[in-house]
Amino acid sequence: YQALVQTNKNFLEYSTRYILPYSIRVLFESSIRNCDGFLVKETDAMNILDWKTKQNDVEVPFCPARVVLQDFTGIPAMVDFAAMREAVRNAGGDPVKVNPACPTDLTVDHSLQIDFSKCAIQNAPNPGGGEAQKLTAAKLSPLKGQPRKLPCRGQSSCKGPCSAGELSRASGQFSAQIENTPILCPFHLQPVPEPETVLKNQEMEFGRNRERLQFFKWSSKVFKNTSIIPPETGMAHQVNLEYLSRVVFDVKDFLYPDSVVGTDSHTTMVNGLGILGWGVGGIETEAVMLGMPVTLTLPEVVGCELTGTASPLATSIDIVLGITKHLRQAEVAGKFVEFFGSGVSQLSVADRTTIANMCPEYGAMLSFFPVDNVTLKHLKHTGFDEAKLEVMEAYLKAVKLFRNDESSSREPEYSQVVQISLSSIIPHVSGPKRSQDRVAVNNMKSDFQTWFQIAAEKQNDIVPVQYEGNQYELSHGCVVIAAVISCTNNCNPSVMLAAGLLAKKAVEAGLEVKPYIRTSLSPGSGMVTHYLSSSGVLPYLSKLGFEVVGYGCSTCVGNTAPLPEAIRNAIKQGDIIACGVLSGTKNFEGRLCDCVRANYLASPPLVVAYAIAGTVRIDFETEPLGTGVNGRSIYLRDIWPTRKELHTVEEECVISSMFKELKEKMEKGNKRWNSLEAPESPLFPWDLKSTYIRCPSFFDKLAKEPVSPQPIENAHVLLYLGDSVTTDHISPAGSIARSSAAAKYLTNKGLTPREFNSYGARRGNDAVMTRGTFANIKLLNKFIGKPAPKTIHFPSGQTLDVFEAAELYQKEGIPVIILAGKKYGLGSSRDWAAKGPFLLGVKAVLAESYEKVHKSQLIGIGIAPLQFLPGENPNTLGLTGREQFSILFPPELSPKMTLDIKTSTGKVFSVFALFDNDVEITLYKNGGSLNFVARRFL
């Protein structure tokens, strides 16, 4: 301990001569506190201290204070822990010792599917299934479907019955109030019952996911140092921000900075609160949960200097996308970004967390806002204890982790500085295929034409369609999905309130949304519903169809009900380029719906605006949104809320009581979860008939000692892929297609298509997930020549599903590899993007370049990431992918070594083996991190 104190003193003296970036100081503190001479060495701490000269040259370990999981990636992690207990027991070890060593919080937030919307409960086809959940309105609604106004509870100043139901675009049905999601009377903020939409979606969620939820309940009982946040509480990253974040840990009066890694790409959001954190794969997360550090190359730190103030019409999303554009051009991939300058103090914590949340989209590892006075004021308003705040401030200042704008001290030294003037930022949307493709709102019409190159004679094509007894017209650019998703924005009340205020003005002006547009409002937590309700804007959103559908990830992960059949048929008949507009961060092609070719990311108020307009081919400056009362044309400027209006509502509605109430209700859980039964045995009782939870095969060959790397001989190419293959292309996600290999497996298990559920719900079943790997309909395999989840099995010449071909290769004892272009593994970190190929028998991936996190995941599962030499690729080397490849590994591997590959045609060429350090080599030799960690218990 005295050495620790002395090292800190040395740091304080050293930092007066050389100003370390704040984010590097957090790494440095962690290295001192966790230095054990084995996983973290003294040289690691000194390398971090000498960051200015050692950046990009050395690998350093980092021990985060905690881990955050969401259920899609959390369930395979917990299933692996359960399987590891089994394997350790079978190998003679004590299974009870297998527990997370690092505090772990798992939020069940990705199970929600939108089966019902718009409050007029429609029994639409369910993309996920669930035969046992045939609920009726009579079962759920005590009002038996009869709309009526609900009087408030004895308020003498009442202006009349609450009219939330009457304002609904549909039936106005209500049912019993649901915990954690209070809907309030707009007049006096008294609770009123929850719309039936939420109740039915929640009932469906608990019914179809019962096995998974029971497994989570078992995990919460038997694993130490683990907490499970039940369904309908909120999204993982939002719960992390609002409830789990400490900023400073206080463990028995020992203080240290909060830091986190998580399996969700939005984990970086907490950097806006001054908490160092980023997303990692499930494989790395499991290692951290067992007490191992994350290893990273000591990063460059890009200083982003913000100056000025943004335009009144620019929302936080505009600021986010503006900064995204600048930082993407600055090439910050794999680097830390740290914000400073006079403009920083102009941003609220909500703005900062929104900006930090988008850092994966511009490639940065994280975007860090050091704690300052704005942070402390935010924490005070959200209910932080005053005494704890005083200790927090004193501690952060003592260890030089507090940023003070009023101080005359020098700014830290950075690897490079990027200057951004906030005053130059104007409203944009992002799309129609990639989040980095920004479009100024006033250029949408021309940009749409540029993207899709519609022939002149077809640009004005119109397809008439009958829907619910009325005639409508679809044309290119028509909006058919409009989702206000607060996964990014619920941390920033201003943009959600802006959507609500815009809806209020629109309804008052007589504007409507066409009923065939699949509208939805999916708040990240009950707090969002709370402030939308208390501000009085929620009924107006509901009137336009943006009704609360539930709490969890939905549209942005593909969990949305199909479009009405008449609309789908019309789109296909006229070859119409239909659009989806959502306020999320992901818009990969084909993710929302297979007949929606253009997907735009926009701020919540713009989502509502485009839904009202019914098309993205509109110039808001010169064309009206529609016709209001008295036949008057209504323009966007007529209903856009001013900053003053937003500020007033935000001050009145976003108050500390909301955070306090949310925390209390999160700690209590909910009735369904509390009443759920689960086993308590130390080993999980696997049900061999289960199609949700299955003991995976990762530990089948576990031995006490690892074997040396084996040569890959005469391997066939399973897939020949191009550039920018994302983890969405690789990893199973969304609904399970009826013609897929996973569907065939489930059908053979006796399930009907309505019972398939989604891949996310079945991530605990490796048989389903393996069959869903490379099953994306947009996968372009050069062997096939068109988008399809197919490949060629070369020994037989058959064209098969990817899984079926891989299965044949494994039966024949033939290893397989993957050929790919640049940026293989781009996008969100997904563990099954590595686990799936491993279980398909893939031994190596040979690509021109990789996304860094995915490359680490491949090593963590036991797949060799190989890279062509600069200037070389399959074309320059004359490779067709139809050859067989042999790769010989030397007895001793070394970082960044080259290997020779020989093909069946006699060609020999060299590649890089992308093992960056000794830790990655050790993991690969052990067959991945899971086996490496399991051996520690033997």
Side-chain angles (χ1 to χ4, degrees):
Y1 180 77
Q2 292 301 323
L4 171 69
V5 171
Q6 185 58 48
T7 306
N8 270 293
K9 288 180 178 179
N10 292 343
F11 163 59
L12 296 182
E13 294 172 3
Y14 187 71
S15 64
T16 59
R17 303 193 304 272
Y18 165 58
I19 312 298
L20 281 172
Y22 289 90
S23 51
I24 298 299
R25 300 178 201 185
V26 178
L27 295 181
F28 178 65
E29 187 281 337
S30 174
S31 68
I32 296 171
R33 177 165 40 87
N34 293 288
C35 186
D36 62 357
F38 177 57
L39 291 174
V40 183
K41 301 177 181 179
E42 183 178 336
T43 53
D44 295 322
M46 299 313 297
N47 282 337
I48 297 173
L49 187 60
D50 195 20
W51 165 82
K52 188 173 182 179
T53 59
K54 295 294 180 65
Q55 57 185 289
N56 278 339
D57 287 339
V58 297
E59 295 283 334
V60 294
F62 174 59
C63 298
R66 56 191 176 91
V67 166
V68 171
L69 304 168
Q70 44 92 339
D71 57 316
F72 268 21
T73 48
I75 192 164
M78 301 312 297
V79 166
D80 288 346
F81 264 67
M84 191 182 297
R85 279 194 164 198
E86 197 92 16
V88 168
R89 191 276 308 269
N90 293 341
D94 182 0
V96 178
K97 291 182 179 180
V98 180
N99 291 292
C102 182
T104 300
D105 301 293
L106 188 152
T107 303
V108 184
D109 72 331
H110 274 50
S111 303
L112 177 68
Q113 293 186 18
I114 303 175
D115 297 289
F116 307 101
S117 62
K118 303 180 183 178
C119 199
I121 305 297
Q122 304 167 356
N123 195 7
N126 172 18
E131 195 68 33
Q133 293 77 42
K134 293 180 178 177
L135 306 176
T136 65
K139 291 180 181 178
L140 293 172
S141 175
L143 302 180
K144 298 183 179 179
Q146 298 300 317
R148 65 182 174 92
K149 295 180 179 180
L150 300 173
C152 294
R153 302 176 181 177
Q155 301 293 322
S156 59
S157 60
C158 182
K159 299 179 182 179
C162 296
S163 55
E166 189 177 63
L167 278 171
S168 175
R169 197 163 63 157
S171 67
Q173 296 171 326
F174 291 93
S175 65
Q177 184 176 354
I178 293 183
E179 295 184 333
N180 298 335
T181 59
I183 299 257
L184 306 181
C185 162
F187 298 122
H188 11 66
L189 309 186
Q190 295 300 311
V192 299
E194 189 82 22
E196 189 175 353
T197 304
V198 177
L199 186 61
K200 293 203 72 174
N201 280 318
Q202 290 179 355
E203 198 75 25
M204 293 287 282
E205 178 180 2
F206 266 82
R208 69 158 62 93
N209 294 297
R210 188 172 185 83
E211 284 184 54
R212 298 171 62 247
L213 297 178
Q214 286 177 324
F215 175 78
F216 283 134
K217 195 73 177 284
W218 171 81
S219 299
S220 69
K221 291 181 178 181
V222 304
F223 287 119
K224 298 177 182 178
N225 222 8
T226 302
S227 65
I228 307 292
I229 311 298
E232 303 308 327
T233 303
M235 298 179 187
H237 38 281
Q238 194 62 30
V239 172
N240 182 25
L241 185 71
E242 295 175 5
Y243 177 67
L244 301 175
S245 294
R246 284 84 152 175
V247 184
V248 171
F249 263 79
D250 184 348
V251 180
K252 297 180 180 179
D253 292 331
F254 184 71
L255 305 175
Y256 54 93
D258 189 3
S259 58
V260 61
V261 293
T263 57
D264 193 282
S265 61
H266 300 288
T267 303
T268 52
M269 183 182 282
V270 296
N271 289 279
L273 201 59
I275 299 170
L276 195 73
W278 64 90
V280 297
I283 299 167
E284 300 98 320
T285 305
E286 292 174 42
V288 173
M289 289 164 66
L290 285 171
M292 295 179 62
V294 174
T295 301
L296 69 158
T297 302
L298 191 59
E300 294 181 38
V301 181
V302 177
C304 185
E305 183 177 14
L306 301 181
T307 59
T309 304
S311 161
L313 287 179
T315 67
S316 295
I317 301 303
D318 297 313
I319 296 173
V320 168
L321 295 178
I323 291 174
T324 297
K325 177 183 177 182
H326 285 287
L327 292 178
R328 185 172 288 278
Q329 291 172 345
E331 299 181 352
V332 298
K335 303 174 184 178
F336 283 11
V337 174
E338 188 168 295
F339 291 87
F340 72 102
S342 60
V344 174
S345 60
Q346 305 300 314
L347 302 178
S348 67
V349 167
D351 293 327
R352 299 175 187 189
T353 53
T354 309
I355 293 169
N357 181 66
M358 279 292 283
C359 82
E361 305 308 319
Y362 46 80
M365 192 168 180
L366 57 87
S367 293
F368 191 70
F369 289 84
V371 175
D372 60 7
N373 289 321
V374 174
T375 315
L376 295 181
K377 288 179 182 178
H378 169 82
L379 294 173
K380 183 177 180 179
H381 288 146
T382 57
F384 249 70
D385 181 80
E386 291 274 359
K388 290 184 177 180
L389 278 176
E390 291 179 4
V391 172
M392 178 189 301
E393 182 177 2
Y395 167 74
L396 291 172
K397 288 181 176 178
V399 296
K400 295 185 179 287
L401 287 174
F402 188 87
R403 182 179 178 274
N404 192 344
D405 270 343
E406 300 173 359
S407 172
S408 59
S409 60
R410 292 183 295 128
E411 295 286 0
E413 297 183 36
Y414 296 107
S415 308
Q416 69 181 94
V417 173
V418 176
Q419 295 181 324
I420 300 175
S421 172
L422 298 180
S423 59
S424 66
I425 294 175
I426 58 176
H428 283 76
V429 298
S430 183
K433 296 181 182 295
R434 304 183 304 174
S435 57
Q436 65 264 34
D437 296 320
R438 299 175 67 244
V439 188
V441 172
N442 55 7
N443 291 333
M444 275 288 280
K445 290 182 72 172
S446 58
D447 186 81
F448 184 89
Q449 174 61 23
T450 300
W451 262 100
F452 294 102
Q453 296 293 311
I454 304 170
E457 66 274 11
K458 294 186 176 182
Q459 289 181 16
N460 297 315
D461 282 0
I462 291 176
V463 179
V465 60
Q466 283 282 336
Y467 181 72
E468 294 184 347
N470 294 313
Q471 179 89 4
Y472 299 97
E473 295 179 340
L474 299 184
S475 59
H476 294 300
C478 61
V479 174
V480 293
I481 295 176
V484 175
I485 307 165
S486 57
C487 68
T488 304
N489 309 304
N490 53 3
C491 64
N492 194 329
S494 66
V495 288
M496 296 298 288
L497 288 172
L501 289 174
L502 187 143
K504 180 177 183 293
K505 291 186 176 186
V507 170
E508 291 171 345
L511 297 176
E512 297 178 342
V513 173
K514 295 178 178 66
Y516 61 77
I517 298 177
R518 182 72 70 188
T519 51
S520 61
L521 170 60
S522 180
S525 74
M527 189 196 75
V528 181
T529 306
H530 190 130
Y531 65 67
L532 290 177
S533 300
S534 61
S535 63
V537 300
L538 192 62
Y540 298 96
L541 285 164
S542 177
K543 175 67 175 177
L544 295 180
F546 293 94
E547 180 140 358
V548 176
V549 295
Y551 298 83
C553 290
S554 49
T555 304
C556 61
V557 293
N559 290 350
T560 188
L563 296 176
E565 186 175 357
I567 303 301
R568 291 174 61 92
N569 290 340
I571 292 172
K572 292 179 179 179
Q573 172 191 337
D575 194 25
I576 295 296
I577 300 174
C579 304
V581 187
L582 62 152
S583 60
T585 61
K586 301 290 190 301
N587 63 335
F588 294 120
E589 185 178 4
R591 195 174 207 184
L592 299 187
C593 178
D594 59 1
C595 63
V596 177
R597 284 186 270 175
N599 301 310
Y600 290 94
L601 306 180
S603 63
L606 282 178
V607 171
V608 177
Y610 280 115
I612 294 170
T615 180
V616 299
R617 297 173 72 191
I618 181 173
D619 183 345
F620 287 132
E621 289 292 327
T622 61
E623 299 176 63
L625 293 173
T627 304
V629 292
N630 302 324
R632 186 171 69 92
S633 294
I634 306 298
Y635 293 82
L636 180 60
R637 57 179 173 269
D638 298 327
I639 61 173
W640 189 270
T642 66
R643 280 190 173 274
K644 183 177 181 181
E645 289 174 309
L646 283 173
H647 180 74
T648 300
V649 176
E650 191 172 353
E651 286 295 316
E652 292 176 355
C653 302
V654 186
I655 54 178
S656 59
S657 61
M658 296 180 183
F659 286 86
K660 182 179 179 181
E661 183 176 356
L662 176 65
K663 291 175 182 178
E664 289 174 352
K665 291 185 176 180
M666 286 176 64
E667 290 165 359
K668 291 178 182 177
N670 61 59
K671 291 179 181 178
R672 287 190 185 89
W673 174 260
N674 294 340
S675 62
L676 188 68
E677 296 182 355
E680 299 185 14
S681 55
L683 296 176
F684 185 71
W686 307 100
D687 181 358
L688 299 180
K689 297 180 181 179
S690 174
T691 57
Y692 279 97
I693 308 295
R694 203 176 94 125
C695 188
S697 57
F698 300 121
F699 304 100
D700 285 356
K701 298 180 181 180
L702 179 67
K704 289 188 176 182
E705 298 296 331
V707 297
S708 58
Q710 299 298 303
I712 302 172
E713 296 179 335
N714 299 317
H716 273 293
V717 175
L718 180 64
L719 291 162
Y720 184 6
L721 306 172
D723 296 340
S724 300
V725 173
T726 71
T727 50
D728 269 31
H729 289 115
I730 306 169
S731 183
S735 59
I736 299 173
R738 297 189 179 193
S739 60
S740 66
K744 295 174 186 176
Y745 167 82
L746 293 172
T747 300
N748 290 336
K749 292 289 185 179
L751 274 65
T752 66
R754 288 185 60 83
E755 297 171 308
F756 286 172
N757 213 320
S758 65
Y759 282 113
R762 296 190 181 275
R763 290 180 82 115
N765 185 326
D766 62 312
V768 171
M769 297 303 286
T770 305
R771 286 165 171 80
T773 302
F774 293 114
N776 189 299
I777 59 173
K778 296 297 182 181
L779 180 73
L780 181 57
N781 180 7
K782 294 185 179 182
F783 293 148
I784 304 301
K786 62 181 180 179
K790 302 285 185 179
T791 195
I792 296 175
H793 176 253
F794 287 107
S796 66
Q798 299 179 78
T799 298
L800 303 169
D801 286 338
V802 174
F803 171 79
E804 293 171 344
E807 188 177 40
L808 277 180
Y809 280 127
Q810 291 194 35
K811 288 180 179 178
E812 296 161 349
I814 300 174
V816 293
I817 65 172
I818 291 173
L819 282 183
K822 301 181 180 70
K823 298 181 180 179
Y824 180 78
L826 196 67
S828 302
S829 171
R830 300 183 185 278
D831 59 330
W832 273 104
K835 288 180 176 178
F838 174 81
L839 293 178
L840 287 175
V842 174
K843 302 300 182 183
V845 176
L846 177 54
E848 291 182 65
S849 64
Y850 293 83
E851 199 281 328
K852 182 177 175 61
V853 171
H854 184 64
K855 187 270 295 185
S856 298
Q857 286 187 323
L858 292 175
I859 296 172
I861 199 61
I863 295 176
L866 309 178
Q867 181 172 302
F868 290 103
L869 299 182
E872 294 185 353
N873 57 49
N875 290 333
T876 63
L877 294 171
L879 303 176
T880 66
R882 297 171 181 268
E883 307 90 345
Q884 288 183 273
F885 295 75
S886 295
I887 308 166
L888 181 65
F889 292 92
E892 293 298 326
L893 299 177
S894 60
K896 300 178 181 178
M897 68 184 303
T898 58
L899 300 175
D900 287 335
I901 295 181
K902 183 177 181 179
T903 71
S904 54
T905 60
K907 182 180 292 294
V908 178
F909 60 97
S910 297
V911 297
F912 291 125
L914 296 186
F915 303 115
D916 291 335
N917 52 60
D918 292 336
V919 173
E920 290 188 344
I921 290 174
T922 299
L923 293 180
Y924 182 73
K925 285 182 175 179
N926 276 269
S929 59
L930 291 175
N931 284 276
F932 172 73
V933 170
R935 287 190 176 97
R936 295 179 62 200
F937 293 103
L938 300 179

